[in-house]
Amino acid sequence: MNRERLVSQLTSQSGPFDIAIIGGGATGLGAAVDAASRGHSVVLVEQSDFAKGTSSRSTKLVHGGVRYLKQGNVSLVLEALRERGLLCKNAPHLVHSLPFVIPSYHWWEGPFYGIGLKVYDALAGQLGLEPSRYLTREEIIQQLPTLETEGLDGGVVYHDGQFDDARLAIHLARTAVNHGGVLLNHTRCRGLMKENGHVIGLKAECVETGRQHEIRARCVINATGVFVDDVRRMDDQKAENIVALSQGVHLVLSREFLPGNQAIMIPKTDDGRVLFAVPWHGRVIIGTTDTPVEQASVEPRALPEEIDFLMTHAARYLTRDPRPRDVRSIYAGLRPLVAMKNTESTAALSRDHTVLVSDSGLITITGGKWTTYRRMAEDVIDHAEMIGGIGVKRCVTHDLMIHGSASVLPKDDPLAVYGSDAAEIRDLMREKPALAEKVHPKLELTAAEVVFHTRHEMARTPGDVLARRSRSLLFDAQASMSAAPCVAAIMAVELNWDAETTAHQVERFQKLACGYILEG
Ligand SMILES: Cc1cc2nc3c(=O)[nH]c(=O)nc-3n(C[C@H](O)[C@H](O)[C@H](O)COP(=O)(O)OP(=O)(O)OC[C@H]3O[C@@H](n4cnc5c(N)ncnc54)[C@H](O)[C@@H]3O)c2cc1C
């Protein structure tokens, strides 16, 4: 996946594309994969980096959503469980099964959640993971030695999927490019092109060079997450908001707070929220919150009360109370929830996706979740075929293997997330042993990976490498800040940056990384 080659593919395109997509998160990338693999010509523009928005800031679960079952939304759970199974099958290098323990502190909670989880298992059918089962107090203490035991009665264990969200996004981008898609990061949609009231394409600008592109397409899809209303207003200045924003925050702690391979799920905290403590890449993620916010932002920041909620509840359920200096990183994401009038709490808004077609033919897709990205993509491309009159072709993503899936490495292999691409990274290390060096003693990231990210995965800034191609910024924000000069120096050689550009890139990343550090 080479950006220069893709830019020249874009500029040499003679006729209109079948489909143009705005937004390179789970929704837009999924749509690009679906369209390209059906055989349509497709272009995608992303204003920042792939998965820079909500899609790199999730809880990293591929799940049916146990709590939606409680809300009675069986069809949503059924669809998500089916998609969970397909994702485990099609991206085995990036998704795996993880046990979740629900501890019960009241005698009735075990049977209550146990019965619900049997329904959850049954809904998954043939695509189910391991069945749920009851655990005694002793079994829980043995499996989760750092769980608070006071008042502990027993519990239930069930299985869901876990993944690396931004990595899956990169592999989806590569899958789409492998099928002929033209995908460009750091390229912002500035406006729509119209003829006789119909959308016939979009105007885009390369954020790096300022170069303008007029991209013609038979159909344009707006997949911009929490920014969909801004793009809808490029089409119709009077368009009303269709999304409400809900912020979710996560803390990342070191593994000693939750050793072992089981996650903890608290279905109802005392103020009615769901709380997860999940082992992930040798760290523990604690989350999340559900806070209504007014303003969409590419870099949302945790509010003091959200941090306080997570710290207090982590302390309540874990034997060792985390202190601010134990927090390796803190990240916030915004859920684009389809708004319904007269609904006060964002926790009650639908997690279903919505497809809207405007009078001018602009297709907007939003809502849903990472787990259901494939189903959302199928739905929106079905719409695009109708609106764009580009011919109906069969969706093939049900059985489409995601880039890298040809080789599944052991989970503890440091390069496991790259799947079959790991061999290329190892070749780089063999050719030049210095590339096997880590960029920082506290991070697993090697120089060879940075080279690979820049040459083959369209990384253009230290943030692209440290936040999304690798997850260093989430593993240890402070160490990532220190590693930025080393990462930028490697990228400078690959991208021909001069000293001034390199220094500017380092400074920009370090400023951003400050927002992931909890002072105290
Ligand atoms: C806290 C939290 C936890 C979550 N946990 C889970 C989970 O565990 N499992 C799960 O299945 N789901 C989870 N989700 C939901 C899931 O992350 C989202 O549904 C999904 O990532 C949304 O993807 P998207 O592509 O619609 O939006 P985004 O990822 O935000 O992508 C939209 C993209 O559009 C780009 N864009 C905006 N304007 C323009 C423009 N003018 N030109 C070009 N590009 C533009 C943005 O830069 C952005 O990259 C979670 C969400 C949150 C907030």
Side-chain angles (χ1 to χ4, degrees):
M1 191 162 73
N2 176 288
R3 195 166 181 277
E4 279 72 38
R5 212 172 300 144
L6 290 166
V7 171
S8 68
Q9 239 177 290
L10 173 70
T11 49
S12 60
Q13 172 84 10
S14 48
F17 284 91
D18 290 333
I19 299 171
I21 299 167
I22 314 168
T27 309
L29 292 169
V33 169
D34 189 306
S37 59
R38 284 190 203 200
H40 295 302
S41 62
V42 61
V43 58
L44 178 150
V45 293
E46 161 55 51
Q47 65 176 353
S48 175
D49 186 24
F50 303 123
K52 163 77 182 180
T54 308
S55 298
S56 56
R57 299 156 188 274
S58 78
T59 315
K60 332 292 182 202
L61 307 181
V62 180
H63 61 157
V66 176
R67 71 181 168 128
Y68 310 131
L69 201 56
K70 213 176 81 191
Q71 292 167 0
N73 199 339
V74 176
S75 62
L76 178 66
V77 177
L78 200 59
E79 178 175 279
L81 285 172
R82 187 164 166 271
E83 292 303 319
R84 181 188 75 176
L86 291 179
L87 201 46
C88 289
K89 174 172 83 69
N90 296 333
H93 56 313
L94 289 171
V95 186
H96 60 263
S97 167
L98 184 73
F100 288 76
V101 173
I102 302 183
S104 50
Y105 291 92
H106 303 282
W107 65 267
W108 52 268
E109 283 176 339
F112 179 76
Y113 293 119
I115 292 165
L117 287 165
K118 285 294 168 207
V119 176
Y120 193 65
D121 291 345
L123 287 174
Q126 296 260 309
L127 290 169
L129 305 173
E130 285 164 66
S132 58
R133 66 179 187 90
Y134 291 103
L135 295 176
T136 61
R137 178 185 153 89
E138 289 65 39
E139 282 177 303
I140 295 197
I141 293 171
Q142 196 202 359
Q143 290 176 19
L144 295 169
T146 56
L147 178 72
E148 185 56 65
T149 51
E150 202 186 316
L152 181 68
D153 190 55
V156 189
V157 62
Y158 71 97
H159 287 75
D160 246 330
Q162 184 182 41
F163 76 132
D164 183 328
D165 49 11
R167 233 323 85 226
L168 179 58
I170 302 303
H171 287 241
L172 286 177
R174 293 201 71 173
T175 308
V177 170
N178 295 345
H179 283 84
V182 177
L183 278 70
L184 294 174
N185 56 358
H186 301 285
T187 305
R188 175 173 297 140
C189 169
R190 287 267 182 219
L192 299 173
M193 287 155 58
K194 281 187 165 179
E195 215 170 69
N196 302 326
H198 281 278
V199 173
I200 54 148
L202 59 91
K203 292 179 186 162
E205 179 186 76
C206 173
V207 174
E208 291 176 2
T209 60
R211 185 175 175 184
Q212 308 288 321
H213 300 285
E214 291 205 340
I215 304 174
R216 288 180 162 266
R218 295 195 170 86
C219 179
V220 176
I221 295 174
N222 170 14
T224 52
V226 292
F227 299 96
V228 285
D229 290 320
D230 294 345
V231 173
R232 274 162 43 75
R233 280 189 279 276
M234 289 178 186
D235 175 35
D236 171 5
Q237 283 177 1
K238 296 199 201 79
E240 286 192 13
N241 285 352
I242 58 162
V243 294
L245 314 183
S246 156
Q247 177 157 292
V249 170
H250 294 87
L251 305 177
V252 184
L253 302 176
S254 63
R255 195 57 194 278
E256 69 232 33
F257 285 89
L258 187 68
N261 286 319
Q262 279 90 352
I264 301 173
M265 196 262 205
I266 306 294
K268 199 169 178 190
T269 58
D270 46 15
D271 52 356
R273 303 191 219 189
V274 179
L275 189 76
F276 286 101
V278 188
W280 187 66
H281 288 317
R283 312 291 192 280
V284 184
I285 298 179
I286 311 275
T288 178
T289 55
D290 210 326
T291 313
V293 290
E294 289 294 320
Q295 196 61 42
S297 154
V298 274
E299 272 299 337
R301 290 281 175 252
L303 302 171
E305 57 269 31
E306 294 182 298
I307 298 171
D308 194 45
F309 168 82
L310 293 174
M311 294 294 273
T312 311
H313 281 78
R316 185 166 304 166
Y317 291 102
L318 299 175
T319 44
R320 198 177 127 200
D321 297 1
R323 290 152 305 174
R325 68 166 183 273
D326 295 315
V327 176
R328 300 288 188 91
S329 188
I330 178 159
Y331 66 94
L334 298 176
R335 300 176 187 88
L337 300 177
V338 182
M340 288 179 295
K341 289 205 167 86
N342 306 325
T343 309
E344 272 171 25
S345 155
T346 49
L349 290 181
S350 171
R351 258 65 173 173
D352 271 325
H353 75 269
T354 294
V355 177
L356 277 183
V357 182
S358 76
D359 292 344
S360 64
L362 175 71
I363 303 178
T364 295
I365 176 158
T366 191
K369 50 188 188 155
W370 241 120
T371 308
T372 54
Y373 86 91
R374 192 210 64 84
R375 183 68 195 91
M376 292 169 69
E378 182 177 353
D379 193 6
V380 77
I381 299 304
D382 285 347
H383 277 79
E385 286 181 337
M386 244 162 28
I387 302 298
I390 53 178
V392 175
K393 297 184 179 178
R394 198 171 63 85
C395 169
V396 297
T397 53
H398 200 278
D399 297 311
L400 186 79
M401 297 306 284
I402 305 299
H403 179 91
S405 59
S407 159
V408 180
L409 304 173
K411 232 177 90 188
D412 58 356
D413 186 308
L415 300 180
V417 289
Y418 296 94
S420 47
D421 287 344
E424 259 182 84
I425 298 171
R426 294 218 157 91
D427 284 346
L428 285 171
M429 294 179 186
R430 257 191 301 275
E431 281 160 26
K432 207 169 167 195
L435 292 179
E437 298 280 318
K438 290 179 177 186
V439 298
H440 188 278
K442 287 189 178 167
L443 298 172
E444 289 82 5
L445 180 66
T446 60
E449 288 168 80
V450 181
V451 171
F452 182 81
H453 298 157
T454 315
R455 281 188 199 164
H456 303 294
E457 295 188 334
M458 281 166 76
R460 310 293 292 184
T461 70
D464 296 354
V465 167
L466 288 162
R468 290 168 294 279
R469 307 294 178 294
S470 80
R471 311 314 302 275
S472 308
L473 184 60
L474 304 192
F475 297 160
D476 194 325
Q478 197 81 57
S480 298
M481 275 179 88
S482 312
C486 172
V487 169
I490 298 166
M491 296 183 80
V493 175
E494 296 294 317
L495 297 171
N496 286 322
W497 290 342
D498 58 21
E500 196 188 332
T501 310
T502 311
H504 170 69
Q505 290 283 358
V506 172
E507 193 189 327
R508 227 175 57 151
F509 174 77
Q510 290 182 333
K511 206 166 149 199
L512 176 143
C514 283
Y516 290 71
I517 295 170
L518 187 56
E519 303 293 342

